[in-house]
Structures are given as C-alpha cells and as structure tokens.
Amino acid sequence: MFQTFGINHVGFLLQCATWTVVLSAIALVGGAIGGTIIALMRLSRLAWLRWIAQAYIYVIQGTPLLVTLFIAYFGVTNLGYDLPAIYAAGIGFTLYSSAFLGEIWRGSIQSISKGQWEAAFALALGWRHTMLDVIVPQALRVAIPPTVGFSVQVVKNTALASIVGFVELTRAGQIVSSATFQPLQVYLTVAAIYFVICSTLSYASRRLERRLRQTAN
C-alpha cells in the first residue's frame, strides 16, 4: 500500500540533503588541496612535474565521474578493505575535483600579466611573496566565478554517488517516490532543495566578489 507524500517524507529528504552537502564539502575541500598541488605542479619549472600533473588532468577529465567512483569503491574493496560508501564517494569526488580545480586555478594564475611578475621580482620579493602578496590576490578574483560554477556542478553530481550505495538527496527522492508513488511532488521538492543549496553558493560567491572588489579599490 502506497503512502501519501507528507511532512515526514520532506524531513527525510532534508536529512539526506545534509549528506549531499557533506559530500560536496568533502569534494571541494579535498579538491582544493589537491587542486592547489596540481596547479603548482603545472606551473613548476620542472618538466617532469608538469608532465605528471597534465597526465593526471587528462586521465581524470577524460574519464566519466561514474567510472571514477566505481574505481574508488571497488579498487579499495579489492585490496581487502570494507570501505563505507561516504569514504569511497569522497575519494572519487576528491580525485575529480582536484583535476578541474587545478586547471581553473592554474589558468587564473597565468591570466595575470607578466608585468605583475616582473614588477614583483624587480622589488626582490621572491617567488613565495610574489605569489602570496601579488599574484594570488588578483588571481582569486578571476577564479571565483568558474570555481563557484564548478562547485554547483559538484553539488548536482553528488547524485551519482548512489551508485556506490551512498544515500544522498536524489537517491532519497527515488526511495520516497517508490514509497508514495507520487514522483512529481517528490522530485519538485528535491529540485527545490537543490535550488536552495546552489543559490546559496552563488549568493555567497557574489558577496565575496563584491568584498574583494572593495578591498582592491
């Protein structure tokens, strides 16, 4: 006997939406760390570091995220470890995010004119101070829009994590839809929750952009 879609089901969807946010946060924090390393490797003067980073980017960007999640889950399982779904999904999304964020940030850094680098070196700032005090603050303003756009994609792509047994918002919607046989109401609610999450990200990015412009002025 089918149930009527109600407040209890909405509560279940909201509960699973928190797991969507958690997985997105894991992906973006892990991706930020990995992306920073990848970006620095791509900018390195050492050719072998640049080659490794570029090969990693080509492999990850050329592989469907679904396949990356399968490899992260079953690869560790074949090593004899019983990996919880959240960990497997976190590893897969971190690998995925690192490749894309690394390229976004590498492009943002390289978009800063050579004159900025030359002026900093003329002042004898050194590479570290040049990056932290001159280049990164300018590159940050360039990087925010594509980074936020990618972050929104990550939130929506968390729906793929159900393939390794992780129950997030979309999977919860499937469960509730099967129980209530009211897919329209269920998925309209799911869409509304996704909209709130992604709109919050976009709003926060606009606030940050305005603050950075005010600081620069």
Side-chain angles (χ1 to χ4, degrees):
M1 182 176 181
F2 294 112
Q3 306 171 19
T4 301
F5 181 63
I7 190 65
N8 290 335
H9 296 108
V10 174
F12 176 66
L13 292 176
L14 290 174
Q15 180 182 359
C16 293
T18 63
W19 286 110
T20 290
V21 173
V22 168
L23 179 57
S24 301
I26 292 172
L28 294 173
V29 171
I33 296 171
T36 299
I37 295 171
I38 292 297
L40 292 176
M41 289 173 68
R42 291 277 279 132
L43 296 169
S44 173
R45 295 179 180 178
L46 301 176
W48 65 273
L49 280 178
R50 294 197 303 272
W51 186 89
I52 290 174
Q54 192 167 2
Y56 174 81
I57 290 167
Y58 282 163
V59 169
I60 296 298
Q61 291 189 356
T63 304
L65 176 56
L66 194 62
V67 175
T68 302
L69 291 171
F70 271 129
I71 293 173
Y73 182 74
F74 292 108
V76 176
T77 301
N78 286 341
L79 294 176
Y81 296 98
D82 185 14
L83 195 66
I86 181 66
Y87 294 151
I91 292 171
F93 272 94
T94 294
L95 294 173
Y96 169 77
S97 299
S98 296
F100 283 89
L101 290 177
E103 273 295 86
I104 289 172
W105 295 345
R106 188 271 310 167
S108 299
I109 291 171
Q110 289 187 327
S111 71
I112 306 304
S113 66
K114 291 183 178 179
Q116 297 290 320
W117 294 86
E118 294 169 354
F121 289 140
L123 295 172
L125 290 180
W127 189 88
R128 185 170 67 88
H129 286 292
T130 297
M131 284 292 292
L132 294 178
D133 299 333
V134 179
I135 303 302
V136 169
Q138 298 179 73
L140 184 60
R141 292 194 292 273
V142 177
I144 286 177
T147 298
V148 172
F150 176 73
S151 300
V152 170
Q153 290 300 316
V154 168
V155 171
K156 291 186 285 188
N157 283 340
T158 54
L160 296 176
S162 62
I163 202 69
V164 295
F166 183 69
V167 180
E168 39 61 61
L169 180 55
T170 299
R171 177 57 182 154
Q174 293 173 343
I175 294 171
V176 173
S177 178
S178 298
T180 63
F181 205 61
Q182 294 178 289
L184 180 60
Q185 294 92 322
V186 172
Y187 285 110
L188 282 175
T189 305
V190 168
I193 296 172
Y194 273 119
F195 177 78
V196 170
I197 295 172
C198 295
S199 297
T200 301
L201 266 177
S202 299
Y203 174 75
S205 74
R206 289 194 296 270
R207 289 285 303 271
L208 181 57
E209 281 187 88
R210 285 197 296 268
R211 183 171 298 180
L212 288 174
R213 282 199 298 268
Q214 291 170 359
T215 303
N217 295 331

